[in-house]
């Protein structure tokens, strides 16, 4: 069983994809609004299917935005059959394409073939809008540019981003990052948050909110 993300503005196509891939016991997450993709934890998926012709953001553009953040195969679903279009898509980092209209058998065969052949070394990545976390390397990037955080600052960002939308007191954050045996106290969190905000502001990023009287949260 694999976790698959399918992105297509045609809901009938998404239903077809889900029903087809369920036959192989794959778990399919279907998204009709491509602008929502950047908010997802893309590292959780084993394969991504992208429609090319979508409103708001087309599949080519979306592939270019997420390719650096995922190691899994990306397959285009496209009505475009011109060689230059297909070569352009592959040049953006896609692994294959399926021409619309396609049959259920072809879809299942292509998806399963790529899953069998997939041997890329997996990186552990969390993508939140245009911010991505290299979880194994403990690094944070904005639009592929590294933000120079201290170890404690990075850990605070990762903790809040993993739990975005949830409010945590300084004490809870301190406990999550440093444990009960930390050598400082929760007031250090205030200074860390101040430093994190300053460094992210240099990239025009403002994602940590203060909830007065309670604590902090990563904006959802």
């Amino acid at each position: 069983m694999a976790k698959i993300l399918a992105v297509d503005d045609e809901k009938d196509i998404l239903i077809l994809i889900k029903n087809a891939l369920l036959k192989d016991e794959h778990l399919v997450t279907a998204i009709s609004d491509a602008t929502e993709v950047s908010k997802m934890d893309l590292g959780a998926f084993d394969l991504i299917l992208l429609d090319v012709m979508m409103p708001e953001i087309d599949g080519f553009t979306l592939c270019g935005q997420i390719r650096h953040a995922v190691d899994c195969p990306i397959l285009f679903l496209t009505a475009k059959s011109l060689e230059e279009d297909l070569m352009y898509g592959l040049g953006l980092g896609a692994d294959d394409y399926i021409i619309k209209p396609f049959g259920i058998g072809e879809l299942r065969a292509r998806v399963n073939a790529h899953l069998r052949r997939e041997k890329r070394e997996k990186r552990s990545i969390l993508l939140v809008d245009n911010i991505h976390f290299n979880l194994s390397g403990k690094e944070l990037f904005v639009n592929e540019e590294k933000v120079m955080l201290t170890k404690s600052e990075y850990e605070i960002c990762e903790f809040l981003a993993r739990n975005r939308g949830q409010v945590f007191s300084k004490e809870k954050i301190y406990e999550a990052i440093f444990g009960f045996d930390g050598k400082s106290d929760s007031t250090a969190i205030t200074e860390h948050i101040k430093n994190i905000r300053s460094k992210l502001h240099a990239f025009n990023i403002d994602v940590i909110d203060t909830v007065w009287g309670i604590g902090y949260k990563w904006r959802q």
Side-chain angles (χ1 to χ4, degrees):
M1 182 183 75
K3 294 181 180 179
I4 296 172
L5 174 64
V7 186
D8 197 306
D9 61 306
E10 296 184 53
K11 294 186 178 180
D12 288 343
I13 295 292
L14 291 176
I15 292 172
L16 183 151
I17 291 171
K18 291 192 73 168
N19 290 339
L21 298 183
L22 278 173
K23 296 179 183 294
D24 297 308
E25 299 184 345
H26 298 314
L27 180 62
V28 179
T29 299
I31 299 294
S32 59
D33 182 356
T35 62
E36 295 295 314
V37 173
S38 62
K39 303 175 185 178
M40 305 176 69
D41 179 7
L42 297 177
F45 296 104
D46 301 299
L47 184 142
I48 298 174
L49 296 167
L50 290 182
D51 181 31
V52 171
M53 301 298 291
M54 295 185 289
E56 305 297 335
I57 180 172
D58 64 82
F60 288 154
T61 301
L62 184 57
C63 178
Q65 290 179 354
I66 68 175
R67 178 75 276 182
H68 72 278
V70 296
D71 294 295
C72 71
I74 296 177
L75 279 62
F76 281 127
L77 306 174
T78 178
K80 293 187 174 185
S81 58
L82 293 178
E83 183 178 0
E84 54 263 36
D85 291 326
L86 302 177
M87 295 302 293
Y88 176 69
L90 296 176
L92 291 171
D95 295 86
D96 202 355
Y97 54 86
I98 303 175
I99 300 294
K100 290 182 175 181
F102 52 81
I104 290 176
E106 179 188 5
L107 175 67
R108 292 174 61 192
R110 291 283 191 98
V111 166
N112 288 325
H114 279 280
L115 290 172
R116 285 195 302 270
R117 290 198 297 263
E118 180 54 29
K119 295 180 180 180
R120 291 185 181 90
E121 180 182 354
K122 298 296 183 182
R123 291 176 293 167
S124 186
I125 288 177
L126 172 65
L127 181 66
V128 185
D129 295 325
N130 60 336
I131 299 174
H132 83 265
F133 295 80
N134 178 350
L135 303 178
S136 57
K138 299 298 181 183
E139 297 172 315
L140 184 151
F141 296 83
V142 175
N143 294 326
E144 301 188 56
E145 187 172 351
K146 184 177 178 180
V147 181
M148 302 305 295
L149 300 174
T150 67
K151 180 178 183 296
S152 297
E153 290 166 0
Y154 171 84
E155 294 288 352
I156 291 170
C157 285
E158 181 184 321
F159 173 72
L160 292 177
R162 283 183 178 275
N163 299 280
R164 53 190 179 275
Q166 188 172 344
V167 182
F168 294 94
S169 66
K170 291 183 293 184
E171 290 76 18
K172 285 293 185 181
I173 297 172
Y174 185 85
E175 180 182 323
I177 304 304
F178 302 105
F180 294 105
D181 299 324
K183 297 180 180 180
S184 184
D185 58 54
S186 61
T187 58
I189 297 300
T190 302
E191 190 63 25
H192 284 312
I193 294 289
K194 177 182 176 182
N195 292 335
I196 291 168
R197 282 173 168 163
S198 177
K199 292 177 181 182
L200 292 179
H201 282 169
F203 294 85
N204 295 315
I205 298 293
D206 181 16
V207 290
I208 299 178
D209 289 335
T210 298
V211 181
W212 298 109
I214 304 178
Y216 302 100
K217 70 174 182 178
W218 191 282
R219 195 173 304 149
Q220 197 165 25

